[in-house]
Amino acid sequence: MTYCAGILVRDGLVMIADTRTNAGLDNISTFRKLHLFERKGERAIALATAGNLSISQSVVSFLHEGVENPDTGEVETLLESPTMFRAAQLVGRAVHKVRTVDGRSLDEAGVKFDVSILIGGQIRGGAPRLFMLYAAGNFIECGVETPYLQIGEHKYGKPILDRAVTFNTNLSDALKLGLISMDSTMRSNLGVGLPIDIVTLRRDAMEPDLVHRIEAGEPYFHDLRERWSAALRAAHIAIPQPPYKPKASAEQIGKN
């Protein structure tokens, strides 16, 4: 399993992904699922992947080496896409390419073609944008009303983002909320785990504001986990007890 989230706010973009992959309880490995494509001063694009690791790695390789544009016949890479929309289309073509190359053999082996991708960033001349691609290569775009997208094991971390993130959340708080969302997922699903990769892109900077990996035992993340747990316990204790009266038992009714 995996968990990746992208948060698009007024100040910029946060991308976060775990690194755990497993094929059983006794076969757990670590692989990078957050990839950065950048040309300083011109573009910064982050790509997070979930699903079958062999498929996602093939997609990323095609994006580095290039995928043919059927309209022009030219081979394009993410470092050459003129807009973020065209970049998302290119990722979709890379997914189609992998399906063309490997789809039949995967079907014969009974392996589902399972991949989902977040692509977010900014190219000079355009605004920061965030997209989510599906296994068919189609995609949706993040909006102001719901300024985040998730892939992988997302249900445990979603309530945090639903309640706390808005488009006006500052970039530092967006990162903090993303880490709380990741911690909530890790607490409930052993298939998601450290290390955690982070990229933050500040609007119009055209280069990463932060590229960081959180390893096991990092003090800040440990403190964040402990503080969040303590805050939840304090919150539920502070809420008044439910005013509902329990129903009388059958024995009590008989006595009356």
Side-chain angles (χ1 to χ4, degrees), residues 34-228:
L34 185 58
H35 309 271
L36 187 61
F37 297 76
E38 61 175 314
R39 187 174 286 154
K40 190 173 181 179
E42 197 267 332
R43 70 184 60 210
I45 300 172
L47 197 80
T49 63
N52 184 292
L53 186 63
S54 67
I55 296 173
S56 63
Q57 287 186 340
S58 294
V59 170
V60 172
S61 295
F62 276 125
L63 293 172
H64 279 291
E65 296 185 4
V67 181
E68 183 178 338
N69 185 326
D71 296 327
T72 65
E74 296 181 354
V75 175
E76 300 176 350
T77 71
L78 278 184
L79 292 180
E80 298 160 347
S81 296
T83 66
M84 283 302 301
F85 179 78
R86 291 278 293 276
Q89 288 182 315
L90 177 61
V91 177
R93 291 203 300 274
V95 172
H96 289 157
K97 180 74 172 177
V98 175
R99 185 186 287 274
T100 300
V101 173
D102 299 328
R104 183 174 179 180
S105 59
L106 289 172
D107 289 340
E108 291 174 351
V111 177
K112 181 182 177 182
F113 191 88
D114 178 27
V115 65
S116 52
I117 298 170
L118 295 178
I119 175 172
Q122 185 176 13
I123 296 173
R124 189 172 56 200
R129 299 175 76 175
L130 174 64
F131 301 88
M132 178 169 67
L133 286 94
Y134 301 97
N138 57 322
F139 55 85
I140 62 172
E141 184 172 5
C142 182
V144 173
E145 293 81 8
T146 306
Y148 69 87
L149 292 170
Q150 303 166 285
I151 56 175
E153 191 59 58
H154 62 270
K155 58 183 176 289
Y156 302 110
K158 188 175 187 296
I160 306 300
L161 304 182
D162 277 341
R163 289 178 178 272
V165 174
T166 72
F167 186 67
N168 292 317
T169 300
N170 69 54
L171 196 61
S172 179
D173 281 341
L175 173 58
K176 180 167 60 176
L177 290 166
L179 291 175
I180 293 172
S181 176
M182 178 65 74
D183 173 58
S184 298
T185 304
M186 290 169 55
R187 292 258 179 174
S188 300
N189 191 312
L190 295 177
V192 178
L194 294 163
I196 298 167
D197 287 321
I198 300 165
V199 171
T200 64
L201 306 172
R202 193 167 294 278
R203 179 181 289 267
D204 297 332
M206 300 304 165
E207 62 180 301
D209 192 53
L210 172 69
V211 179
H212 182 67
R213 170 166 284 193
I214 297 175
E215 301 281 1
E218 182 179 284
Y220 174 78
F221 189 65
H222 175 77
D223 183 60
L224 177 141
R225 304 184 78 175
E226 294 301 313
R227 285 175 181 265
W228 181 246

Side-chain angles (χ1 to χ4, degrees), residues 230-241:
L232 287 176
R233 288 192 294 269
H236 94 77
I237 290 172
I239 295 172
Q241 293 294 328

